[in-house]
Amino acid sequence: MNEQNYLSSQVMIKIDGARIKAIREAKGLTQLYVATAVEVTTDTVSRWENRRYPTIKKENGLKLAQALEVELEDILDATVPEEPADGAQGAGPEPRPGTDEPEPGGSAWAAGQAPSTVLPEKARWSRRLGHLSFIIVALALIAAIVYAFSIMRKSPETLHIGATRVVPAHFIAGLPLPVFILVDKTGDGPLSIIMKENLPPGCRLQSAAPPLSGHSGSEIKWLTKIAQPATFFYTVVTEPAFSGTLSFSGTVKNGGSEDDAAIGGGMKTVSGFQHWADSDGDNRISDAEILAVYDLLPEQAGQIVDLDQLEEMWLGDGYVWDPERQQITIIE
Amino acid sequence: MTISIPFRPALLIAALLLSAAAPAAHCRAGQGSATLTSSNGQLILQVDLPTPSPTNLIAELKLQSRAQVVATEPEAAKIDKKRSTVKWLVKNPRQSRLRLTVKTTPPVEPQSASAVVTFRNPSDGTLVQIQAR
């Protein structure tokens, strides 16, 4: 095919579907016959007749006219001039190879909205807008995925860490008072934390688990890594003559954070005559109370808290605090 | 119309991302159970722990008043002769099924004994009590 023939085959013409149908029916021809003669499918012929494909290749137009035994001019839409080759792509539906069917999405015509005139520029811009929209959506998705991965990579150090202090409501002055700090974390992997507690005036530190990283004046601190939620634990003791309230405060932060977060939970405890584990103050250690203590205590706590005495109190019928002898008497 | 098709792959990717981010369903926790049986003259309290397993638990067995406890396995925390009770404090149970046995004279039938298992729900700290059947 030389260049002139090629250009000729690419010329698009606008056909008059109603007239084609009328001619075909008047001559008693079937769509199958016409389709076979033009070398397209019967669906394509049907769409030509129904104006769903108002433009076709001139080459097919000539075959169609020949099949209908009329001149090409007899099947053309008289209202529209022929389109040149360079305008064919934008002028209407682009035929697929071997057919006159347009590519999906190629033009509004494909949906049956046959315009009265050919609008190549509009169709071209419409397609460009489609491509642009796709690129924008793709870029937005890529950005979202990159952002999500960056968050996930930072998670071990930047995700939220929470610390809750559990301090008994009351204690007996002169006996060890345990304070628990439950540290919760989210995310996988170990998390570096710095936790500081300010001991209230009137008490002194007796022991801590895990071991402290620092102890200066009334401040104690841990610098450590935790791989899962952990319980920190320390005991303080007051003078036997102490009477009043102890107020605790502290902060925690993870290694990747600039800001300290206050340790939540209990802050105050009052001196009295009930053991710290006797939460309801009825001078008995109930099943619920000893379970609460054992569930809180880390494994190391057995060396710090007198658990044997606590179990004896639980197994007994009650206890009383003898201030003069500074000891607990268990009632059997 | 002309821009609807390019959106389809984007919607597909978004749907895939959303489905990947959906949290997995949690398994329902078991409730736990306790059963009293006897074998070879021994009273057996079998405890099937719930899931997740409690950190510590207390089992209390009440016997007939005339029964004398000869031995327990594992060793009980307290044998109260006055109340005819045997109490265990089981710390960090490592198996999902516990067998607590008591040998008495005369032997006690399961029908004439009762038992209660107490623990704190690991999820929310609430106290749970299971009556042996």
Side-chain angles (χ1 to χ4, degrees), chain B residues 62-99:
Chain B
K62 183 157 180 58
L63 305 166
Q64 288 172 314
S65 57
R66 60 191 174 89
Q68 298 288 318
V69 177
V70 176
T72 64
E73 176 63 34
E75 187 181 352
K78 184 175 185 178
I79 300 169
D80 190 330
K81 293 178 182 173
K82 195 167 63 180
R83 297 190 181 97
S84 298
T85 57
V86 181
K87 215 167 185 178
W88 289 269
L89 173 58
V90 183
K91 300 166 195 170
N92 300 312
R94 293 182 182 174
Q95 294 171 334
S96 61
R97 173 171 285 182
L98 304 176
R99 276 169 60 95

Side-chain angles (χ1 to χ4, degrees), chain B residues 14-133:
Chain B
L16 287 172
L17 288 174
L18 284 172
S19 63
H26 289 286
C27 296
R28 189 170 178 271
Q31 300 299 309
S33 64
T35 314
L36 273 172
T37 56
S38 63
S39 175
N40 298 328
Q42 289 187 329
L43 193 60
I44 302 165
L45 172 59
Q46 182 172 293
V47 182
D48 288 308
L49 297 177
T51 306
S53 178
T55 316
N56 304 284
L57 65 87
I58 292 168
E60 185 167 9
L61 180 63
K62 183 157 180 58
L63 305 166
Q64 288 172 314
S65 57
R66 60 191 174 89
Q68 298 288 318
V69 177
V70 176
T72 64
E73 176 63 34
E75 187 181 352
K78 184 175 185 178
I79 300 169
D80 190 330
K81 293 178 182 173
K82 195 167 63 180
R83 297 190 181 97
S84 298
T85 57
V86 181
K87 215 167 185 178
W88 289 269
L89 173 58
V90 183
K91 300 166 195 170
N92 300 312
R94 293 182 182 174
Q95 294 171 334
S96 61
R97 173 171 285 182
L98 304 176
R99 276 169 60 95
L100 310 172
T101 63
V102 178
K103 188 171 187 179
T104 61
T105 54
V108 176
E109 290 300 313
Q111 296 86 345
S112 56
S114 62
V116 179
V117 178
T118 308
F119 56 85
R120 278 159 44 101
N121 187 330
S123 308
D124 56 15
T126 55
L127 203 66
V128 179
Q129 286 197 318
I130 298 174
Q131 300 280 344
R133 290 176 286 118

Side-chain angles (χ1 to χ4, degrees), chain A residues 260-283:
Chain A
D260 291 341
I263 296 172
M267 295 174 67
K268 294 183 178 181
T269 181
V270 183
S271 64
F273 297 116
Q274 276 78 38
H275 191 271
W276 59 266
D278 179 13
S279 57
D280 60 5
D282 66 351
N283 286 85

Side-chain angles (χ1 to χ4, degrees), chain A residues 263-317:
Chain A
I263 296 172
M267 295 174 67
K268 294 183 178 181
T269 181
V270 183
S271 64
F273 297 116
Q274 276 78 38
H275 191 271
W276 59 266
D278 179 13
S279 57
D280 60 5
D282 66 351
N283 286 85
R284 284 185 66 248
I285 303 297
S286 67
D287 288 355
E289 286 166 341
I290 197 160
L291 284 173
V293 171
Y294 273 105
D295 283 0
L296 265 176
L297 284 173
E299 285 183 15
Q300 315 92 305
Q303 299 155 8
I304 299 171
V305 175
D306 189 351
L307 293 178
D308 289 341
Q309 185 193 46
L310 195 62
E311 283 191 30
E312 285 176 22
M313 291 165 66
W314 163 63
L315 293 169
D317 285 341

Side-chain angles (χ1 to χ4, degrees), chain A residues 6 33 46 138 178 187 200 208 226-227 259 278 291 319:
Chain A
Y6 173 77
Y33 169 82
S46 173
I226 58 170
D259 302 322
D278 179 13
L291 284 173
Y319 73 92

Side-chain angles (χ1 to χ4, degrees), chain A residues 8-307:
Chain A
S8 175
S9 70
Q10 295 302 304
V11 170
M12 303 300 288
I13 57 171
K14 184 142 193 199
I15 53 175
D16 185 336
R19 193 183 300 169
I20 291 168
K21 186 176 183 181
I23 294 169
R24 180 180 62 77
E25 289 177 346
K27 292 183 180 286
L29 303 175
T30 62
Q31 285 186 340
L32 178 61
Y33 169 82
V34 174
T36 307
V38 185
E39 296 176 28
V40 294
T41 65
T42 53
D43 282 344
T44 300
V45 174
S46 173
R47 285 167 186 148
W48 289 343
E49 293 181 354
N50 295 326
R51 291 180 165 271
R52 290 178 62 192
Y53 296 162
T55 59
I56 65 172
K57 285 188 285 192
K58 186 175 182 180
E59 182 185 9
N60 285 344
L62 289 168
K63 288 182 187 173
L64 177 60
Q66 192 176 1
L68 295 173
E69 300 170 343
V70 294
E71 294 298 321
L72 179 62
E73 288 73 18
D74 295 330
I75 59 170
L76 290 181
D77 184 345
T79 61
V80 179
E82 280 190 11
E83 288 295 319
D86 60 357
Q89 196 174 21
E94 189 173 337
R96 293 176 187 168
T99 74
D100 263 320
E101 296 178 20
E103 294 293 339
S107 165
W109 293 351
Q113 301 167 9
S116 58
T117 56
V118 179
L119 300 170
E121 277 302 308
K122 188 175 178 181
R124 204 179 300 163
W125 276 106
S126 178
R127 180 170 296 175
R128 285 174 184 168
L129 185 63
H131 291 163
L132 189 63
S133 303
F134 177 72
I135 290 167
I136 290 170
V137 170
L139 286 175
L141 268 174
I142 290 167
I145 291 167
V146 168
Y147 178 71
F149 273 107
S150 69
I151 291 288
M152 287 166 68
R153 281 189 62 193
K154 288 180 181 176
S155 63
E157 290 296 331
T158 58
L159 283 181
H160 177 72
I161 181 171
T164 306
R165 184 186 302 100
V166 178
V167 55
H170 49 253
F171 68 101
I172 296 172
L175 295 185
L177 166 68
V179 177
F180 308 90
I181 301 173
L182 314 178
V183 180
D184 200 6
K185 68 178 278 288
T186 55
D188 297 326
L191 182 68
S192 303
I193 64 163
I194 300 170
M195 188 158 60
K196 297 176 184 174
E197 272 278 272
N198 293 309
L199 304 182
C203 71
R204 68 176 189 279
L205 180 75
Q206 197 177 51
S207 56
L212 293 171
S213 306
H215 180 195
S216 171
S218 63
E219 184 184 84
I220 60 174
K221 66 180 175 186
W222 289 270
L223 168 58
T224 186
K225 279 191 174 186
I226 58 170
Q228 55 196 8
T231 301
F232 291 71
F233 163 78
Y234 63 92
T235 57
V236 293
V237 65
T238 64
E239 292 300 321
F242 179 88
S243 176
T245 300
L246 297 177
S247 296
F248 297 86
S249 63
T251 59
V252 63
K253 74 173 179 179
N254 65 43
S257 168
E258 294 292 326
D259 302 322
D260 291 341
I263 296 172
M267 295 174 67
K268 294 183 178 181
T269 181
V270 183
S271 64
F273 297 116
Q274 276 78 38
H275 191 271
W276 59 266
D278 179 13
S279 57
D280 60 5
D282 66 351
N283 286 85
R284 284 185 66 248
I285 303 297
S286 67
D287 288 355
E289 286 166 341
I290 197 160
L291 284 173
V293 171
Y294 273 105
D295 283 0
L296 265 176
L297 284 173
E299 285 183 15
Q300 315 92 305
Q303 299 155 8
I304 299 171
V305 175
D306 189 351
L307 293 178

